[in-house]
Amino acid sequence: MNKLKTFLLLVISCNLTCFAQQKATTNEAFQIVNPDYKLSPYTGMTKQHWKDAAMYLLEGAFSYVHSLDDPMKFPKQEGKSYPVNEAQVSTEKLEGLCRTLFIASPLLKENPELVINNIKVADYYRCQIAKLTDPASASYIEPRSKNGGASQKLVEFGALAVSMLTNPEVLWNPLPQEQKDKLAKTMLSYGDGPTVDSNWKFFNVFVLSFFKEQGYVVNEKLLLEYLQKSLKAYRGNGWYNDSPAYDYYSMWAFQMYGMIWSEYFGKIHYPEIAAQFEQNFSDLKYNYPNLFSKNGEMIMWGRSISYRTGAIIPFPLMGFQNDGNTNYGWMRRISSGVIKQFFTHPDFMKDKVPTLGFYGAFEPAVQVYSCRGSVYWMGKAFLALLVPDNNPFWTAKENNGDWDTKFKKDAVYNKYQGDSNILITDYPNIGASEVRAWCHEKVKNDWQKFRSTENYNRLSYSSAFPWQADGTNGEVAMNYVIKNKENNWEAFRLYTFKKFENEVYYRDVVLETDENIKFSLADIPLANGILRVDKNNSDKVVSMRLGHYALPKLDKEIRVEKRKIKGHEVTIIDNGKYQLAMVSLLGWGKSEVVNTKGLHPESNESSVINLVANTASKDKGLNTYATLMLWKKSGEKWKNKELLPVRSINQTDVGVSIQFNSGKIIRVDFK
């Protein structure tokens, strides 16, 4: 009987333990408690809710910390992320420490006594910072060797310097002098050294600036060199070039670093350089907001997608300028909208840690330089909490900015970004934003395997339709794939921008593995979609596929409809949220609806419309392909004139002349 009783107690104990473990890893989405719809009629979020969101992230991270000695180390996500060997673990822990500190530091600045999971947060970070210079600690980071190059450790020490520069009272001042000196020696060994010709220069800048601020002797010549080189990366309209890419990160990272550096160090020590960074920062308010949807959603575009909310940090930092020409209510509406976009999504968290992906885990969007803790780079959004409570960023009433004051129904709005060659397009009918930008990277040269991929090589990127990865059988969304010499489907990626003229965005493209396969491309944004006119300049027969945006399967099957309007085949798919239509106008063969699995960031199952053609060579004269890629919200009916807004399309010696039903004429000139 006693044995049976003991057995039953063990079973009950085991079940309770399992239940407790299950409860501990439950991933509840962020809840906005007591929303304030008077101040924030669209999101309900105030500065207090931003603090709540920061705590939501930080409490998840601290669920892995049970004593001051526990590192910020999280469950590895299956796939290409690191660590892949034991030697990388110390860097993994350094990332977790320095990146979660972006969230913790602004909270500690207001409340140095903050406690999470029975851990005094300030004590924890000071303890962990001390371990970085203790050779006996498993978290020890050795100083850079004399001939050592730039590394991930430089990145994280730059991040640590940002937090210490903005909150020395909690993170630096209480440290014993011996620890300060050891930390200076280690961090300066990285900061006073080589870097990467990209936004990485700022990591050196912050390390050198912080220790100069604290009275240490630093390499000021190198500091000035890296500052000037960073300024030279500016291309106007708020955009910096990230050698060679443009993406969200080349806007928000450069602009955030420049503004934080100026506010907390540059204005005092290098006022002329600070003024240049601030002028560049001022330019972004006329352009960057239009890259977000009406609901304040960001586009899935470029590398480091898992940083997500980091993209909003320029908006609250506008508060430091207190500029009467800035629509702060719109800036906060966008920013809070992006926080809601991710934090309230049921797939955002796993094991109480944000996934590497967009909404949930999504391996095609992951880079090899990321570990699970890398996601807390998104915590830079909470540097916003450094902006005072009475600042207009927090006190202005939310509004929809241009979407309500400038944009009209049944119209489309393009903002060409000048020297960066970026085109931002806003579509009032569905409240979506779209971007076209740089991509010209060969797979064979792309050792990190992200600049040649879907992160950059789509024809365009939309806030409403996140990019879908390519399949091995020719499944493609918002790009061409070509059957190459190896009989594999190969996506276009080597684009060369030509011009933006008369509402037409022109690029040339060549296939990486066969320079004789080349096209001239023309994108014409319309009120409800895109008109593509593309010229095949290849000297051989080409098998090709062109994809529309893809739709994820949501709570019901994706519906397919086929129509024929004035001899043109129309294919429509509808997932209950959006409808996509593809209309072949010129040159194409058949249309297919391709159902896929494991390729879409929102759902395991998705569908995309592909057009298919086996082309003749340019010598045969059948080399121009015109396509309508259209969209609507689900439940809205398509009129024939919406599906076929083009009255006529005629080839000319240099391109195509298109007459619309409205009488408007657009001439595509490939010359």
Side-chain angles (χ1 to χ4, degrees):
M1 183 70 181
N2 287 337
K3 287 184 178 180
L4 178 61
K5 185 177 181 181
T6 302
F7 174 75
L8 289 172
L9 287 171
L10 284 170
V11 170
I12 293 169
S13 176
C14 179
N15 286 340
L16 286 172
T17 302
C18 292
F19 176 76
Q21 290 174 343
Q22 184 179 14
K23 186 176 180 182
T25 57
T26 297
N27 301 290
E28 295 181 0
F30 175 63
Q31 301 289 325
I32 299 173
V33 179
N34 297 322
D36 183 346
Y37 290 114
K38 184 176 180 181
L39 179 65
S40 302
Y42 298 100
T43 69
M45 291 185 68
T46 64
K47 189 175 185 181
Q48 180 58 52
H49 297 106
W50 280 56
K51 294 175 187 176
D52 295 345
M55 284 293 292
Y56 169 74
L57 279 186
L58 209 55
E59 286 171 348
F62 268 84
S63 69
Y64 293 90
V65 175
H66 304 286
S67 75
L68 296 182
D69 293 325
D70 290 342
M72 277 290 180
K73 189 175 184 301
F74 311 106
K76 186 182 185 302
Q77 183 169 302
E78 183 179 350
K80 66 173 83 79
S81 63
Y82 91 90
V84 296
N85 57 59
E86 192 64 26
Q88 295 176 316
V89 172
S90 61
T91 306
E92 175 196 17
K93 291 188 288 188
L94 183 65
E95 283 208 39
L97 177 70
C98 298
R99 297 188 178 208
T100 56
L101 191 52
F102 282 128
I103 309 162
S105 181
L107 293 171
L108 289 170
K109 197 170 180 73
E110 180 175 320
N111 178 18
E113 303 303 314
L114 180 67
V115 174
I116 299 177
N117 196 25
N118 297 316
I119 300 291
K120 195 170 180 181
V121 174
D123 287 350
Y124 173 78
Y125 280 103
R126 288 193 295 261
C127 176
Q128 289 293 317
I129 288 169
K131 287 177 179 293
L132 300 177
T133 59
D134 180 4
S137 169
S139 298
Y140 174 66
I141 302 295
E142 72 290 347
R144 183 180 65 89
S145 62
K146 184 177 180 180
N147 297 315
S151 69
Q152 191 67 36
K153 293 166 186 173
L154 167 63
V155 176
E156 306 315 320
F157 279 134
L160 179 56
V162 171
S163 291
M164 292 195 300
L165 184 68
T166 55
N167 191 7
E169 300 85 359
V170 173
L171 302 175
W172 173 259
N173 295 349
L175 298 179
Q177 189 61 46
E178 183 182 2
Q179 284 187 11
K180 290 179 178 178
D181 292 343
K182 286 181 179 180
L183 197 60
K185 181 181 177 181
T186 298
M187 290 179 67
L188 283 171
S189 75
Y190 290 90
D192 184 7
T195 192
V196 176
D197 185 21
S198 66
N199 68 86
W200 277 42
K201 292 185 284 291
F202 277 108
F203 304 133
N204 303 73
V205 164
F206 275 102
V207 171
L208 293 167
S209 297
F210 174 72
F211 285 104
K212 175 178 169 61
E213 180 78 359
Q214 297 304 321
Y216 289 84
V217 176
V218 304
N219 187 343
E220 289 197 56
K221 181 180 177 182
L222 189 65
L223 172 58
L224 288 167
E225 177 187 331
Y226 285 158
L227 286 167
Q228 293 295 350
K229 285 183 175 179
S230 297
L231 284 169
K232 286 181 180 177
Y234 190 61
R235 297 293 182 271
N237 296 300
W239 293 96
Y240 286 81
N241 182 262
D242 206 16
S243 299
Y246 292 96
D247 50 35
Y248 270 108
Y249 202 55
S250 76
M251 168 66 88
W252 74 260
F254 276 89
Q255 292 286 17
M256 181 212 73
Y257 293 137
M259 194 62 178
I260 290 288
W261 178 85
S262 299
E263 189 69 21
Y264 285 89
F265 181 81
K267 286 180 179 179
I268 296 172
H269 297 279
Y270 303 103
E272 291 183 1
I273 295 176
Q276 292 178 65
F277 279 121
E278 289 211 52
Q279 180 55 56
N280 295 348
F281 184 87
S282 296
D283 293 344
L284 72 85
K285 66 174 168 284
Y286 304 109
N287 301 278
Y288 194 47
N290 294 98
L291 197 56
F292 296 80
S293 77
K294 182 177 181 179
N295 288 334
E297 297 151 328
M298 66 178 290
I299 300 170
M300 183 180 176
W301 167 49
R303 71 182 180 93
S304 301
I305 284 166
S306 60
Y307 297 167
R308 301 169 174 103
T309 56
I312 65 178
I313 185 55
F315 298 126
L317 294 186
M318 290 178 186
F320 284 140
Q321 293 187 317
N322 208 351
D323 180 2
N325 294 319
T326 300
N327 183 344
Y328 287 103
W330 187 24
M331 301 305 102
R332 194 178 76 256
R333 190 271 182 276
I334 293 171
S335 304
S336 297
V338 172
I339 289 175
K340 288 185 68 174
Q341 178 184 1
F342 297 107
F343 284 34
T344 63
H345 195 283
D347 297 332
F348 174 64
M349 288 277 208
K350 183 179 181 183
D351 304 321
K352 295 196 172 184
V353 179
T355 55
L356 286 166
F358 193 59
Y359 291 115
F362 187 58
E363 185 66 6
V366 177
Q367 278 77 62
V368 295
Y369 56 73
S370 290
C371 66
R372 189 66 181 276
S374 298
V375 296
Y376 291 106
W377 212 241
M378 74 174 68
K380 289 181 177 180
F382 297 103
L383 293 172
L385 300 177
L386 299 172
V387 177
D389 293 0
N390 62 356
N391 189 275
F393 177 79
W394 299 116
T395 61
K397 185 177 179 179
E398 272 188 354
N399 64 80
N400 281 326
D402 288 354
W403 296 95
D404 287 344
T405 60
K406 293 183 180 179
F407 298 164
K408 306 297 182 185
K409 192 173 182 289
D410 297 325
V412 63
Y413 296 86
N414 293 309
K415 292 196 95 169
Y416 178 60
Q417 301 292 283
D419 289 347
S420 66
N421 302 327
I422 293 170
L423 181 68
I424 299 172
T425 304
D426 293 306
Y427 297 92
N429 283 2
I430 63 167
S433 57
E434 189 177 62
V435 67
R436 292 163 177 80
W438 172 94
C439 183
H440 197 286
E441 186 83 6
K442 293 182 178 180
V443 169
K444 68 177 184 178
N445 298 335
D446 187 9
W447 65 277
Q448 288 185 312
K449 299 291 181 284
F450 63 83
R451 288 199 179 101
S452 62
T453 68
E454 296 91 332
N455 291 281
Y456 292 93
N457 70 23
R458 305 295 86 173
L459 293 165
S460 57
Y461 293 86
S462 171
S463 63
F465 312 110
W467 62 255
Q468 174 174 289
D470 294 338
T472 56
N473 297 315
E475 310 97 318
V476 62
M478 200 43 70
N479 201 359
Y480 280 90
V481 288
I482 309 293
K483 188 63 76 73
N484 64 20
K485 295 174 183 177
E486 303 298 323
N487 206 37
N488 295 322
W489 291 105
E490 179 181 337
F492 277 150
R493 60 180 65 91
L494 302 182
Y495 298 93
T496 302
F497 174 79
K498 304 304 289 185
K499 59 183 176 180
F500 178 65
E501 184 177 88
N502 299 326
E503 302 175 66
V504 185
Y505 189 80
Y506 293 90
R507 288 169 286 187
D508 287 346
V509 66
V510 60
L511 195 69
E512 177 180 345
T513 61
D514 189 344
E515 63 183 12
N516 293 315
I517 296 179
K518 47 193 175 184
F519 284 51
S520 295
L521 309 175
D523 299 42
I524 308 169
L526 309 174
N528 288 313
I530 306 162
L531 171 57
R532 297 207 58 79
V533 180
D534 301 325
K535 183 181 178 185
N536 177 13
N537 301 314
S538 310
D539 62 0
K540 59 182 68 177
V541 173
V542 176
S543 294
M544 65 182 188
R545 301 172 68 89
L546 170 66
H548 201 332
Y549 288 122
L551 287 182
K553 180 182 174 182
L554 300 176
D555 54 356
K556 59 183 179 182
E557 295 296 322
I558 293 176
R559 188 172 60 85
V560 178
E561 180 186 351
K562 293 273 190 177
R563 296 190 195 179
K564 204 139 194 173
I565 302 175
K566 296 183 179 180
H568 298 286
E569 184 180 1
V570 179
T571 304
I572 303 169
I573 56 176
D574 185 338
N575 72 345
K577 184 177 182 181
Y578 289 109
Q579 304 174 72
L580 296 176
M582 205 160 186
V583 185
S584 172
L585 296 178
L586 191 66
W588 286 100
K590 65 177 181 177
S591 170
E592 299 177 349
V593 175
V594 182
N595 299 317
T596 71
K597 289 188 176 181
L599 300 181
H600 199 280
E602 288 188 273
S603 173
N604 183 51
E605 296 181 51
S606 57
S607 296
V608 61
I609 309 169
N610 282 187
L611 293 179
V612 183
N614 291 303
T615 77
S617 70
K618 64 180 181 180
D619 299 327
K620 300 293 184 180
L622 303 172
N623 63 341
T624 301
Y625 298 81
T627 315
L628 285 162
M629 298 171 156
L630 307 174
W631 49 70
K632 261 183 180 294
K633 291 181 179 178
S634 190
E636 298 178 358
K637 292 186 178 180
W638 290 97
K639 299 176 182 176
N640 282 355
K641 66 179 182 180
E642 292 173 323
L643 290 167
L644 192 63
V646 173
R647 181 178 299 169
S648 64
I649 181 164
N650 300 299
Q651 296 192 59
T652 68
D653 291 340
V654 295
V656 169
S657 178
I658 305 150
Q659 183 173 18
F660 291 86
N661 293 333
S662 63
K664 181 178 181 177
I665 295 175
I666 291 181
R667 292 181 175 84
V668 175
D669 180 3
F670 288 120
K671 187 171 64 174

